Amino acid sequence: MKNLSKITGFASAFALAALPALAQDAEPALDTGDTAWMIVATALVGFMIFPGIALFYSGLVRAKSALSLLVQTALIACTVMICWVIYGYSFAFGGSESPFFGGFGKLFLSGVGVDSLSGTIPEYLFIAFQMTFAAITPALIIGGFAERIKLSGAVLFSVLWVTFVYFPIAHMAWDANGLFFNWGTMDFAGGTVVHINAGIAALVGAYVIGPRIGLGKDLMAPHSLPIAFIGASVLFIGWFGFNAGSALAANGTAVLAMINTFTATAGATVAWALIETLTRGKASALGCISGMIAGLVAVTPAAGFVGPVGAIFLGAIASLIAYFFVAVVKNKLGYDDSLDVFGIHGIAGIVGAVLTGVFAAPSLGGVGYAEGVGMGAQVFVQIKAVVITIVWGAVVSFILYKVTDVIVGLRVSADDERQGLDQTSHGESAYHQ
Amino acid sequence: MKNLSKITGFASAFALAALPALAQDAEPALDTGDTAWMIVATALVGFMIFPGIALFYSGLVRAKSALSLLVQTALIACTVMICWVIYGYSFAFGGSESPFFGGFGKLFLSGVGVDSLSGTIPEYLFIAFQMTFAAITPALIIGGFAERIKLSGAVLFSVLWVTFVYFPIAHMAWDANGLFFNWGTMDFAGGTVVHINAGIAALVGAYVIGPRIGLGKDLMAPHSLPIAFIGASVLFIGWFGFNAGSALAANGTAVLAMINTFTATAGATVAWALIETLTRGKASALGCISGMIAGLVAVTPAAGFVGPVGAIFLGAIASLIAYFFVAVVKNKLGYDDSLDVFGIHGIAGIVGAVLTGVFAAPSLGGVGYAEGVGMGAQVFVQIKAVVITIVWGAVVSFILYKVTDVIVGLRVSADDERQGLDQTSHGESAYHQ
Amino acid sequence: MKNLSKITGFASAFALAALPALAQDAEPALDTGDTAWMIVATALVGFMIFPGIALFYSGLVRAKSALSLLVQTALIACTVMICWVIYGYSFAFGGSESPFFGGFGKLFLSGVGVDSLSGTIPEYLFIAFQMTFAAITPALIIGGFAERIKLSGAVLFSVLWVTFVYFPIAHMAWDANGLFFNWGTMDFAGGTVVHINAGIAALVGAYVIGPRIGLGKDLMAPHSLPIAFIGASVLFIGWFGFNAGSALAANGTAVLAMINTFTATAGATVAWALIETLTRGKASALGCISGMIAGLVAVTPAAGFVGPVGAIFLGAIASLIAYFFVAVVKNKLGYDDSLDVFGIHGIAGIVGAVLTGVFAAPSLGGVGYAEGVGMGAQVFVQIKAVVITIVWGAVVSFILYKVTDVIVGLRVSADDERQGLDQTSHGESAYHQ
Amino acid sequence: MKLIIAAVKPFKLEEVREALTAIGVRGMMVTEIKGFGAQSGHTEIYRGAEYAVNFVPKVKLEIVVPDSLSDEVVDTILKAAKTDKIGDGKIFVLDVAQAVRVRTGEAGDDAL
Amino acid sequence: MKLIIAAVKPFKLEEVREALTAIGVRGMMVTEIKGFGAQSGHTEIYRGAEYAVNFVPKVKLEIVVPDSLSDEVVDTILKAAKTDKIGDGKIFVLDVAQAVRVRTGEAGDDAL
Amino acid sequence: MKLIIAAVKPFKLEEVREALTAIGVRGMMVTEIKGFGAQSGHTEIYRGAEYAVNFVPKVKLEIVVPDSLSDEVVDTILKAAKTDKIGDGKIFVLDVAQAVRVRTGEAGDDAL
Ligand SMILES: Nc1ncnc2c1ncn2[C@@H]1O[C@H](COP(=O)(O)OP(=O)(O)O)[C@@H](O)[C@H]1O
Ligand SMILES: Nc1ncnc2c1ncn2[C@@H]1O[C@H](COP(=O)(O)OP(=O)(O)O)[C@@H](O)[C@H]1O
Ligand SMILES: Nc1ncnc2c1ncn2[C@@H]1O[C@H](COP(=O)(O)OP(=O)(O)O)[C@@H](O)[C@H]1O
């Protein structure tokens, strides 16, 4: 039990349900407190999409494509929600015994009713909570090829990607029969499934689709940092649903995940500001929100496993490495991951996944490892899960981009790109002032 | 019980309170989980006003009137809140036996104390939750005559309107003695009371007050679609409080309402984008948020009664009809319901109310009807409630506009309108850049 | 018990935990409903910072310094969060018996674990909730010297200030051994600790740092009132976490605090709009949000003690006095408290603290006083706490400003100020359009 | 050729543009400006701080036309922009030494 | 008549406007522009991407005055806009063939 | 001296500025304008309401140079701004009677 409940947030729900201490009686019953919290947690993750990530991205691009990121985010998220209830939930949590695939048992949510429970909460709630995770992940990816992607291409790719990358990896990580799950990988709220996954897909996309016209020549500064700041802040607050919600209950673990989300983000934000101050004498607003996101990503797999002080360091380290990557490495490599999805979600995600294995150590204030597991062994399984995710994600994503390109095309014409996606793809202008 | 609890969200609270399964003991006691959720639900509906609807509307008007919508929303909502605690709650839920009027029993919330309960939650919480509904409804209406209304006129009309239209209809729909309530009309979260009601009042207002100067000649494009998008997203998230909160408890029904709110909105958003793509080759940002609102409105009466897959269709159908209305019909009729309150809230509200009677069928994944009631009969009472609401709303609203016009006037001078309400009514400019 | 639980929101948690009626058994146990609510309340106060106060302030300054307020808010809040877990919590709630200081007992949160409880919620949750209070307070202060402060100065001052002003006063007000606490001062959610404290520090700062170049000559109108409106609205909604959360449980007191937060804010907003209409014939958007904040501040100490109708008057009175102060008095005194932190938080905070002693009277719908205490006596201890806070805050803040000035300097160069902090301190522009 | 500069009220722009196209003007440059003149601005008050905004939003048109067309253009603008209220604007005429079309290199009247 | 075009520092606008009104100038057109000149711009860095912003914000004034007033206007602007720092701006004078007031149709100096 | 006014495509601004600096132009005034000409605008539809946007975003350059440099400047802009697509823009040349540098008071060519 204890051991299991340490392995992953989602697992703990099932685990806890059986603990007499927490359920009124032996057989699981609905707990109104847990249900209340999870309803809110689900709404908070929804908030990360509407308007969180949409604004964060929209503010960072040029005014002429400000709307395109909003439309892409909204349509991708909505389409994936529809896929989720039709087949996604089944593919991920359909009950099959395969370590890779959930099966067809719950297509159209068949068998689920108002009274079905999942641990101490209604199963519909677990479904809705998971749905928001599935919906936000492909929306994260589009930052990698902003301002030049075709709307139809973005949506089609997203559908293919969740089907062949996200649903299987979600099964591997969170289903009781899943591959990583049974390795004992610690991924509290989805560092591998969501962030590494999105980061790598964005990187591949940036390569396949190619850089924006005028990159390195034209001024491509964010058209509205205040809007990006609103987006980042909404992501910060929504992330409490993402991380603390992954305990699937209103318990001590959820609370630990919450305070860690605060402290890791604080550490990461301050770290980014400091490194900027040291290297160029100025701490920027974009730097603050970049550090903020880096910290949030890094603490995602660690949230329920490390201590509040350890989380500060975990966040700061991930932030510094991400800074180094986007400010130094990236410019050398010269690809155009326009909004640094890989540089921030990917890199901080990887650092966070690995460091989770480290800071979970009781000596560092963590909750410790499963019986008989040491730091070395834990770090190893963490890395194993990361590598599988990267390889699977990179290869399959590459294929899916090519497939999408053949079917509807990925990139708009040079003239359309120059004029801006808002007018050419959506027939509107963001501002009339 | 079962039967009653199916009839309406608000009813269920009282109903459930008595079910041994859900309350620790026979006599109702406060449930901290239900209370926790309802506190949040109330805050979420507040969020729909501040800043939800205010931003949604402000972003859609021209920059010279951007502030006027913010001020009108804030002052209308605040004034109605004051009316609510003084006499509104009593008029709607004052305990009288009349099917139309709650009476004077609870003026100034007399008799309510910290320990008074309403089902498993404090009565003050039920009062606050209901207060947010009363406050947002008149704020929805002002979109119908944006950019030309007098502030004093908007506020006075709102006070009269809640007094003579909203409070009575809220009593009819949600009070145990209410007219619709006893017909067995299914209106989970207020499709008739809030949305059809607001839509019809806006339509009448648009006719009475007349179109904006330069309509069809000047460019009246939204001055900031990103701001409108923020507003729409806040409405989306806040709507979980509106719909799932209408279960008045953290239970399976609340969760069903939540997942349906997601899927119906997803279906509606995608549907609007598709029809735009088919008819003009481009999916717009304004289209996405219009579809989003249409879906949210349509699922409001249905949230706790239909299934997640049925909700997708319900949302999509309402969205397409609303699209057809605002994009085709409206331009033929030539009135100026400036922000399409009728076209979206009114139309999608009517479609949603009727389809609730359809998709509630168990065969379509719904929770079913009250004993002895079939789809046909249910659809009939749905339509009856809609018709009464439209007639009552239209007639009384018309009179109240005329009254308001006599007392303080409804419309600003042509010069003031041309210069913009921000400077002429509020003495400010939205932006100094 | 009763008596104590009346004295302060935070106290009640400890109090209630022991009431058989509310806990399943004699010894305290975690309540999932209370925990669910307090997780959300904590997130809501976080929301007041990210992006609430940041946007509110950013929208009110000129475009050339729009980002500086965002960066200052983010870095101050994050830095203080780090201080909080390292020593702040210990200094405020470390368990020492001193009436002024919490001691070193809980440095690095030592002794706190996943299972530690504070009343019916995990202690980590109480820590996180309190952390958000500590983080927002110094962020409020910076509005007093916006557009001219050095980033390093702002951050250093904040660290010193929380250490020598906030932590001690938090201990005095909320710790069971605290000075005000044992006087029986009624401060439900932190009127003295947070708002009066911040207001006075801002006033002193405005004097020490001096007015902006061009004050009274150049146009210093808010660069984006819509952004300020978003900020104010987020503050409004987040404030439910602040006030209702201060009950530390999902109970009747929390709900009373919530409805009072609504009605007081409504009264205050309408009052400000009315006085503007009377004095200059126009109700402004800035006026609405100023009144809103004044009401929220005023009800903070009163939230759990007064009645919903009394709260309307409390809010309105505080709003009118704050209006008179910022619109009349301030311009006579000629200091530059740029965003009226003293004028609104300070003044409304003082009025609210005193009126709490008045409107708590049962005759005015309040919950009443501790046994043997009358209105006069209560008002007297209210004033005593206010005076101590003002004196302590003013003197210590003054010293800390001087210290900061010596170490890193407080003010940027005239040229940098004229060009704007965004470019000179952060190397960015808020907008590229 | 002549350069005709006109400052008019913003909401008159469309009318003026249409009138000019009608008489064969094929191009112009339009700029949003702050106008200062007999028409007074307005005051804005923010929390008691009063600001006099001395400028009024106007639109500036710059049109280069063959000498032959110059007077007609001026008259057309006069008619189209007129509201008989203060602040209607001004029209100025300057001589242009040369005009070239970038795309083709055509010079003189052909460039217009 | 003369058209006087001046590019000055934004924060000098009010001072210049007041000085000009004092000597009887009754109107002008003001435009926010991006200036390029000896005064260098600044660099902005966004996540490591460095952009040189070569333009400096300036305000352009366009004033039409009777020949008689021209020199005085130039001198007035010179005095009011001066900070002795690089980037203070330039003043250019052009001849104006004709001026008309839209509201009244008045032409020539009467139109100003 | 001559005032050279050019309306060009926004994304060409940097190229033109570099080309001009290369031939010794030391200053200019740049304004974002709405251009009207042969290049047609676009339509925007908002909830079924269709708006024809007749103007195309352009950038206006105003450069004062000594007569000697005038032709070279025109040619340089011609080359740098050309895309051979409709809407490339126009160049106009006007005479300038006087130029003064605010900071120093220098007049004539020295002011440029
Ligand atoms: N001498 C001038 N030079 C340049 N522009 C002027 C001049 N006089 C007026 N204008 C422009 O014309 C606009 C209208 O002029 P104004 O004096 O306000 O009203 P009217 O033209 O009716 O007398 C002003 O806002 C300004 O932009
Ligand atoms: N040759 C020119 N033509 C047009 N405008 C110019 C010219 N030279 C300078 N300007 C304008 O004058 C402003 C100030 O000129 P600059 O050379 O930077 O400083 P200074 O005038 O002190 O030498 C520039 O930003 C530009 O707007
Ligand atoms: N007669 C004119 N007067 C002033 N500006 C003009 C004139 N004709 C064109 N322009 C400017 O030049 C731009 C390009 O001209 P246009 O006719 O669209 O293309 P092209 O120059 O290739 O023929 C226009 O957008 C407008 O700003």
Side-chain angles (χ1 to χ4, degrees), chain C residues 182-404:
Chain C
N182 289 307
W183 281 348
T185 307
M186 288 176 153
D187 184 355
F188 192 76
T192 44
V193 188
V194 173
H195 299 289
I196 299 179
N197 227 345
I200 196 73
L203 180 64
V204 174
Y207 270 114
V208 173
I209 295 165
R212 285 165 292 179
I213 295 171
L215 179 71
K217 211 167 100 299
D218 306 356
L219 178 74
M220 292 184 173
H223 90 280
S224 174
L225 278 169
I227 282 188
F229 184 90
I230 300 177
S233 300
V234 170
L235 285 169
F236 188 176
I237 301 308
W239 222 292
F240 292 118
F242 199 95
N243 286 357
S246 293
L248 295 174
N251 57 22
T253 305
V255 169
L256 178 63
M258 169 174 239
I259 195 165
N260 286 335
T261 302
F262 269 118
T263 57
T265 307
T269 308
V270 171
W272 196 297
L274 282 177
I275 187 78
E276 274 191 344
T277 310
L278 295 177
T279 54
R280 52 180 277 222
K282 290 187 171 83
S284 69
L286 180 55
C288 286
I289 57 181
S290 304
M292 204 182 284
I293 303 300
L296 289 162
V297 168
V299 79
T300 297
F305 302 125
V306 304
V309 177
I312 297 175
F313 291 97
L314 181 142
I317 295 167
S319 180
L320 294 176
I321 297 177
Y323 170 84
F324 176 74
F325 195 89
V326 301
V328 183
V329 179
K330 180 189 171 191
N331 298 308
K332 293 214 171 35
L333 304 183
Y335 61 90
D336 183 17
D337 172 11
S338 314
L339 306 181
D340 295 306
V341 184
F342 181 71
I344 292 181
H345 291 267
I347 297 294
I350 293 168
V351 174
V354 175
L355 290 185
T356 298
V358 175
F359 285 99
S363 55
L364 297 172
V367 300
Y369 308 100
E371 275 99 34
V373 180
M375 186 188 288
Q378 188 62 50
V379 168
F380 177 70
V381 296
Q382 297 297 102
I383 292 172
K384 240 169 52 180
V386 168
V387 172
I388 301 259
T389 307
I390 292 176
V391 174
W392 180 300
V395 173
V396 181
S397 298
F398 179 82
I399 297 166
L400 299 179
Y401 282 116
K402 291 303 184 184
V403 171
T404 307

Side-chain angles (χ1 to χ4, degrees), chain A residues 415 418 423 427-429 432, chain F residues 11 42-46 85:
Chain A
D415 272 4
R418 204 175 270 117
Q423 250 161 50
E428 306 167 290
S429 310
H432 288 93
Chain F
F11 72 91
H42 64 278
T43 10
E44 297 181 2
I45 310 186
Y46 296 92
K85 294 229 188 61

Side-chain angles (χ1 to χ4, degrees), chain A residues 32 35-36 39 43 46-47 50-51 54-55 67 71 75 78 85 114 122 124-125 131-132 423-428 430-433, chain B residues 31 33-34 37 221-226 229-230 233 236-237 250 252 255 258 262 266 273 280 282-286 308 312 431:
Chain A
T32 59
T35 303
I39 291 175
F47 197 34
F50 301 102
L55 289 183
L67 296 177
V71 175
L75 290 181
C78 289
V85 292
V114 180
Y124 271 141
L125 187 46
M131 176 170 71
T132 57
Q423 250 161 50
T424 54
S425 296
H426 310 297
E428 306 167 290
Y431 306 96
H432 288 93
Q433 277 167 348
Chain B
D31 180 289
D34 293 340
W37 162 234
H223 89 281
S224 174
L225 278 169
F229 184 90
I230 300 176
S233 300
F236 188 175
I237 302 307
V255 169
M258 168 172 241
F262 269 118
R280 51 181 278 220
K282 291 186 170 83
S284 69
L286 179 56
I312 298 175
Y431 306 96

